[in-house]
Amino acid sequence: MTADGSTAPPPSTAIPSSAQGATVRRAAAASFIGNFIEWFDYASYGYLAVVIGKVFFPESDTSVQLMSTFAVFAMSFLLRPIGAVVWGAWGDRFGRRWALSWSILIMSGSTFLIAFLPGYSMIGLGAAILLLLLRLIQGFSASGEYAGAGTFLAEYAPTGRRGLYTCLVPASTATGLLAGSTLVALLHWLLDDASMQSWGWRVPFLLAGPLGVVGRYIRVHLEDSPAFQEMSAQLEAAAGPSQRTPVLDVLSRHGRTVAIAFGVSCLNAVGFYLLLSYMPTYLQEEIGIGKSTSNLLTSIMLCGYISSIFVMGHFSDTIGRRKMLIGACVAFIALSVPLFWIMKGGDIWVILACELIFAVILTANDGTLATFLAESFPTEVRYSGFALSFNTANALFGGTAPFLATWLISVTGSPLAPAVYLSVVALAALGAMIVAPEHSDADLTAFTEEGAKSAASLPSR
């Protein structure tokens, strides 16, 4: 017992000071590599949207075919909230490492199977149904990945550098996108349209198998976060192993925090998928840029994103998460429409400059958001609160962003429609951030009094 009467964790839950730096670096590397693999798998679909539309859907108007492809993309997000409940409960009960090691295996397996699907010309509508099924499994897996990696890294990182370490999660996501974008650009450069539609599009999906095995091996051989180990030790000492209900707990005790986190996450959802996944398609279909060039521009944009996100993570440690996220909202509100308007009439270099500006604005949000969400919830519901708010926002606004952008352009006839949509979402996120508290100095080993009482009231197994 400690001086204040609380139960002290056993010495084994703490990381020895001499090994702490190496342990944190190892956790960071494992999170980066695993998240990179997961999002390389998941993003390949978006960069191959035009080709996949021709392979899996009947010949028709190009915009209808493209909307069908993005409809499947959006429907894959249907399981994100369900997955958030499942992975959140598993991650808060069985450990962050346990959940992450399984999420990467499920993602890589479902992605690998996509490579072997027959097209519409072979089995008709069944091809699209099988594609949707595997995309749903991908969505279920992805719902546990980002939140789990963000929670895991935030709990490992030193308080004063938490933003810098945790921004490795969006950085690894973007690196996965960059690898996918680069590979797709290379395939378009090397292969003609017939070869791409015949077998070229399958290559990124085939790579998922061996990459997934590597990612799982790395995660299985890493200890769980100190915060989770300490919480587990306290629960064990207080009541023995217990059947907790993290999702019900986070909704009943932290409903306002979940609502704020959801509102803030909406901007990340729309901005991320609109600017980093849909953009190559937008440049091809609305501005008339070739496939190879549009993918190259997006690859350069992703390089700018990865380069600046570490700067933004550092800034979030020095000036606070709240100021960073509010600044990102204001920038998107003020600049989205002007930048899209400039891109519409500009040459390649002007378009690239606009994309790089967007990348910097997006990193102000993305380089801060994962840390903000992890700091918003106590240890016993952190994975669940992060996963539920983040994935619900992505299900409603992220997965639908490419589809809605294509639909809005079709209905309005204006290529500026996606920019207006992005500005409106940024305005809503700004409203959420205005009422959000600052948690930059939060102790992530904290185990709330309510959580301890709830655990103690449960019967031992």
Side-chain angles (χ1 to χ4, degrees), residues 7-35:
T7 303
S12 60
T13 62
I15 301 175
S17 57
S18 59
Q20 186 173 10
T23 302
V24 172
R25 287 192 294 271
R26 192 162 61 250
S31 296
F32 186 95
I33 293 170
N35 205 47

mmCIF file of all heavy atoms in Angstrom, residues 7-35:
data_model
loop_
_atom_site.group_PDB
_atom_site.id
_atom_site.type_symbol
_atom_site.label_atom_id
_atom_site.label_comp_id
_atom_site.label_asym_id
_atom_site.label_seq_id
_atom_site.Cartn_x
_atom_site.Cartn_y
_atom_site.Cartn_z
ATOM 1 N N THR A 7 -3.298 1.026 -3.913
ATOM 2 C CA THR A 7 -2.488 -0.166 -4.157
ATOM 3 C C THR A 7 -1.351 0.144 -5.113
ATOM 4 O O THR A 7 -1.578 0.658 -6.204
ATOM 5 C CB THR A 7 -3.351 -1.287 -4.767
ATOM 6 O OG1 THR A 7 -4.425 -1.541 -3.878
ATOM 7 C CG2 THR A 7 -2.535 -2.559 -4.960
ATOM 8 N N ALA A 8 -0.149 -0.143 -4.740
ATOM 9 C CA ALA A 8 1.002 0.126 -5.596
ATOM 10 C C ALA A 8 1.202 -1.024 -6.555
ATOM 11 O O ALA A 8 1.039 -2.177 -6.197
ATOM 12 C CB ALA A 8 2.262 0.307 -4.751
ATOM 13 N N PRO A 9 1.561 -0.718 -7.804
ATOM 14 C CA PRO A 9 1.818 -1.782 -8.765
ATOM 15 C C PRO A 9 3.088 -2.519 -8.413
ATOM 16 O O PRO A 9 4.000 -1.954 -7.800
ATOM 17 C CB PRO A 9 1.974 -1.022 -10.099
ATOM 18 C CG PRO A 9 2.431 0.331 -9.694
ATOM 19 C CD PRO A 9 1.787 0.609 -8.381
ATOM 20 N N PRO A 10 3.173 -3.777 -8.741
ATOM 21 C CA PRO A 10 4.404 -4.512 -8.463
ATOM 22 C C PRO A 10 5.561 -3.962 -9.267
ATOM 23 O O PRO A 10 5.371 -3.375 -10.329
ATOM 24 C CB PRO A 10 4.058 -5.939 -8.917
ATOM 25 C CG PRO A 10 2.905 -5.791 -9.853
ATOM 26 C CD PRO A 10 2.171 -4.603 -9.417
ATOM 27 N N PRO A 11 6.795 -4.114 -8.798
ATOM 28 C CA PRO A 11 7.960 -3.536 -9.476
ATOM 29 C C PRO A 11 8.106 -3.973 -10.913
ATOM 30 O O PRO A 11 8.646 -3.266 -11.725
ATOM 31 C CB PRO A 11 9.137 -4.045 -8.624
ATOM 32 C CG PRO A 11 8.562 -4.353 -7.270
ATOM 33 C CD PRO A 11 7.169 -4.801 -7.527
ATOM 34 N N SER A 12 7.587 -5.147 -11.256
ATOM 35 C CA SER A 12 7.780 -5.676 -12.606
ATOM 36 C C SER A 12 7.054 -4.889 -13.666
ATOM 37 O O SER A 12 7.336 -5.018 -14.839
ATOM 38 C CB SER A 12 7.328 -7.142 -12.677
ATOM 39 O OG SER A 12 5.957 -7.231 -12.335
ATOM 40 N N THR A 13 6.085 -4.041 -13.260
ATOM 41 C CA THR A 13 5.348 -3.283 -14.267
ATOM 42 C C THR A 13 6.106 -2.063 -14.740
ATOM 43 O O THR A 13 5.734 -1.446 -15.729
ATOM 44 C CB THR A 13 3.992 -2.824 -13.711
ATOM 45 O OG1 THR A 13 4.221 -1.965 -12.603
ATOM 46 C CG2 THR A 13 3.129 -4.000 -13.293
ATOM 47 N N ALA A 14 7.130 -1.652 -14.043
ATOM 48 C CA ALA A 14 7.878 -0.460 -14.436
ATOM 49 C C ALA A 14 9.053 -0.836 -15.317
ATOM 50 O O ALA A 14 9.665 -1.871 -15.172
ATOM 51 C CB ALA A 14 8.389 0.271 -13.186
ATOM 52 N N ILE A 15 9.385 0.056 -16.214
ATOM 53 C CA ILE A 15 10.531 -0.162 -17.085
ATOM 54 C C ILE A 15 11.766 0.395 -16.396
ATOM 55 O O ILE A 15 11.790 1.552 -15.995
ATOM 56 C CB ILE A 15 10.337 0.549 -18.436
ATOM 57 C CG1 ILE A 15 9.077 0.043 -19.122
ATOM 58 C CG2 ILE A 15 11.525 0.352 -19.333
ATOM 59 C CD1 ILE A 15 8.759 0.792 -20.390
ATOM 60 N N PRO A 16 12.816 -0.378 -16.212
ATOM 61 C CA PRO A 16 14.041 0.138 -15.595
ATOM 62 C C PRO A 16 14.537 1.351 -16.364
ATOM 63 O O PRO A 16 14.514 1.378 -17.589
ATOM 64 C CB PRO A 16 15.015 -1.047 -15.710
ATOM 65 C CG PRO A 16 14.140 -2.263 -15.823
ATOM 66 C CD PRO A 16 12.929 -1.812 -16.562
ATOM 67 N N SER A 17 15.032 2.353 -15.636
ATOM 68 C CA SER A 17 15.433 3.603 -16.287
ATOM 69 C C SER A 17 16.532 3.381 -17.315
ATOM 70 O O SER A 17 16.571 4.060 -18.344
ATOM 71 C CB SER A 17 15.905 4.605 -15.225
ATOM 72 O OG SER A 17 16.963 4.048 -14.457
ATOM 73 N N SER A 18 17.434 2.451 -17.061
ATOM 74 C CA SER A 18 18.528 2.217 -17.995
ATOM 75 C C SER A 18 18.054 1.648 -19.316
ATOM 76 O O SER A 18 18.721 1.777 -20.341
ATOM 77 C CB SER A 18 19.541 1.250 -17.371
ATOM 78 O OG SER A 18 18.916 0.022 -17.056
ATOM 79 N N ALA A 19 16.881 0.984 -19.290
ATOM 80 C CA ALA A 19 16.366 0.352 -20.514
ATOM 81 C C ALA A 19 15.183 1.107 -21.111
ATOM 82 O O ALA A 19 14.684 0.721 -22.163
ATOM 83 C CB ALA A 19 15.955 -1.092 -20.207
ATOM 84 N N GLN A 20 14.739 2.180 -20.424
ATOM 85 C CA GLN A 20 13.511 2.839 -20.853
ATOM 86 C C GLN A 20 13.611 3.393 -22.267
ATOM 87 O O GLN A 20 12.700 3.222 -23.074
ATOM 88 C CB GLN A 20 13.155 3.977 -19.889
ATOM 89 C CG GLN A 20 11.802 4.618 -20.201
ATOM 90 C CD GLN A 20 11.397 5.628 -19.144
ATOM 91 O OE1 GLN A 20 12.195 5.994 -18.286
ATOM 92 N NE2 GLN A 20 10.160 6.072 -19.193
ATOM 93 N N GLY A 21 14.735 4.075 -22.588
ATOM 94 C CA GLY A 21 14.875 4.660 -23.916
ATOM 95 C C GLY A 21 14.824 3.618 -25.013
ATOM 96 O O GLY A 21 14.128 3.782 -26.014
ATOM 97 N N ALA A 22 15.536 2.517 -24.804
ATOM 98 C CA ALA A 22 15.548 1.451 -25.807
ATOM 99 C C ALA A 22 14.172 0.821 -25.951
ATOM 100 O O ALA A 22 13.744 0.470 -27.056
ATOM 101 C CB ALA A 22 16.577 0.392 -25.420
ATOM 102 N N THR A 23 13.458 0.672 -24.829
ATOM 103 C CA THR A 23 12.128 0.071 -24.869
ATOM 104 C C THR A 23 11.157 0.952 -25.639
ATOM 105 O O THR A 23 10.364 0.464 -26.454
ATOM 106 C CB THR A 23 11.607 -0.155 -23.437
ATOM 107 O OG1 THR A 23 12.520 -0.988 -22.726
ATOM 108 C CG2 THR A 23 10.242 -0.819 -23.454
ATOM 109 N N VAL A 24 11.220 2.256 -25.389
ATOM 110 C CA VAL A 24 10.337 3.185 -26.090
ATOM 111 C C VAL A 24 10.636 3.178 -27.586
ATOM 112 O O VAL A 24 9.725 3.168 -28.420
ATOM 113 C CB VAL A 24 10.474 4.612 -25.515
ATOM 114 C CG1 VAL A 24 9.704 5.609 -26.368
ATOM 115 C CG2 VAL A 24 9.964 4.651 -24.082
ATOM 116 N N ARG A 25 11.920 3.157 -27.933
ATOM 117 C CA ARG A 25 12.285 3.126 -29.354
ATOM 118 C C ARG A 25 11.820 1.838 -30.024
ATOM 119 O O ARG A 25 11.375 1.849 -31.173
ATOM 120 C CB ARG A 25 13.795 3.306 -29.509
ATOM 121 C CG ARG A 25 14.281 4.721 -29.230
ATOM 122 C CD ARG A 25 15.727 4.914 -29.672
ATOM 123 N NE ARG A 25 16.638 4.099 -28.893
ATOM 124 C CZ ARG A 25 17.196 4.510 -27.743
ATOM 125 N NH1 ARG A 25 16.901 5.695 -27.251
ATOM 126 N NH2 ARG A 25 18.045 3.710 -27.098
ATOM 127 N N ARG A 26 11.907 0.734 -29.301
ATOM 128 C CA ARG A 26 11.463 -0.541 -29.854
ATOM 129 C C ARG A 26 9.938 -0.534 -30.056
ATOM 130 O O ARG A 26 9.434 -1.023 -31.062
ATOM 131 C CB ARG A 26 11.882 -1.685 -28.930
ATOM 132 C CG ARG A 26 11.717 -3.060 -29.560
ATOM 133 C CD ARG A 26 12.515 -4.124 -28.830
ATOM 134 N NE ARG A 26 12.107 -4.275 -27.444
ATOM 135 C CZ ARG A 26 12.846 -3.904 -26.394
ATOM 136 N NH1 ARG A 26 14.030 -3.349 -26.592
ATOM 137 N NH2 ARG A 26 12.413 -4.076 -25.169
ATOM 138 N N ALA A 27 9.220 0.033 -29.100
ATOM 139 C CA ALA A 27 7.770 0.147 -29.234
ATOM 140 C C ALA A 27 7.402 1.050 -30.404
ATOM 141 O O ALA A 27 6.465 0.768 -31.163
ATOM 142 C CB ALA A 27 7.163 0.696 -27.939
ATOM 143 N N ALA A 28 8.159 2.138 -30.566
ATOM 144 C CA ALA A 28 7.904 3.062 -31.676
ATOM 145 C C ALA A 28 8.139 2.380 -33.016
ATOM 146 O O ALA A 28 7.338 2.517 -33.953
ATOM 147 C CB ALA A 28 8.787 4.294 -31.542
ATOM 148 N N ALA A 29 9.240 1.630 -33.114
ATOM 149 C CA ALA A 29 9.546 0.936 -34.367
ATOM 150 C C ALA A 29 8.492 -0.105 -34.691
ATOM 151 O O ALA A 29 8.044 -0.236 -35.842
ATOM 152 C CB ALA A 29 10.919 0.280 -34.271
ATOM 153 N N ALA A 30 8.052 -0.855 -33.676
ATOM 154 C CA ALA A 30 7.040 -1.884 -33.900
ATOM 155 C C ALA A 30 5.724 -1.264 -34.337
ATOM 156 O O ALA A 30 5.039 -1.780 -35.238
ATOM 157 C CB ALA A 30 6.844 -2.702 -32.625
ATOM 158 N N SER A 31 5.341 -0.155 -33.719
ATOM 159 C CA SER A 31 4.093 0.515 -34.091
ATOM 160 C C SER A 31 4.176 1.065 -35.509
ATOM 161 O O SER A 31 3.224 0.955 -36.291
ATOM 162 C CB SER A 31 3.792 1.656 -33.109
ATOM 163 O OG SER A 31 3.579 1.148 -31.817
ATOM 164 N N PHE A 32 5.317 1.654 -35.842
ATOM 165 C CA PHE A 32 5.486 2.235 -37.174
ATOM 166 C C PHE A 32 5.395 1.159 -38.254
ATOM 167 O O PHE A 32 4.648 1.294 -39.221
ATOM 168 C CB PHE A 32 6.833 2.950 -37.270
ATOM 169 C CG PHE A 32 7.034 3.705 -38.552
ATOM 170 C CD1 PHE A 32 6.737 5.050 -38.632
ATOM 171 C CD2 PHE A 32 7.511 3.067 -39.694
ATOM 172 C CE1 PHE A 32 6.909 5.755 -39.818
ATOM 173 C CE2 PHE A 32 7.692 3.747 -40.880
ATOM 174 C CZ PHE A 32 7.390 5.099 -40.948
ATOM 175 N N ILE A 33 6.157 0.077 -38.077
ATOM 176 C CA ILE A 33 6.192 -0.972 -39.101
ATOM 177 C C ILE A 33 4.834 -1.640 -39.248
ATOM 178 O O ILE A 33 4.338 -1.852 -40.357
ATOM 179 C CB ILE A 33 7.277 -2.006 -38.751
ATOM 180 C CG1 ILE A 33 8.669 -1.361 -38.843
ATOM 181 C CG2 ILE A 33 7.198 -3.210 -39.689
ATOM 182 C CD1 ILE A 33 9.783 -2.227 -38.296
ATOM 183 N N GLY A 34 4.204 -1.961 -38.121
ATOM 184 C CA GLY A 34 2.907 -2.616 -38.186
ATOM 185 C C GLY A 34 1.847 -1.741 -38.828
ATOM 186 O O GLY A 34 1.063 -2.199 -39.672
ATOM 187 N N ASN A 35 1.796 -0.478 -38.440
ATOM 188 C CA ASN A 35 0.800 0.432 -39.002
ATOM 189 C C ASN A 35 1.064 0.690 -40.484
ATOM 190 O O ASN A 35 0.132 0.802 -41.291
ATOM 191 C CB ASN A 35 0.816 1.749 -38.224
ATOM 192 C CG ASN A 35 -0.504 2.480 -38.304
ATOM 193 O OD1 ASN A 35 -1.560 1.896 -38.114
ATOM 194 N ND2 ASN A 35 -0.444 3.768 -38.581
#
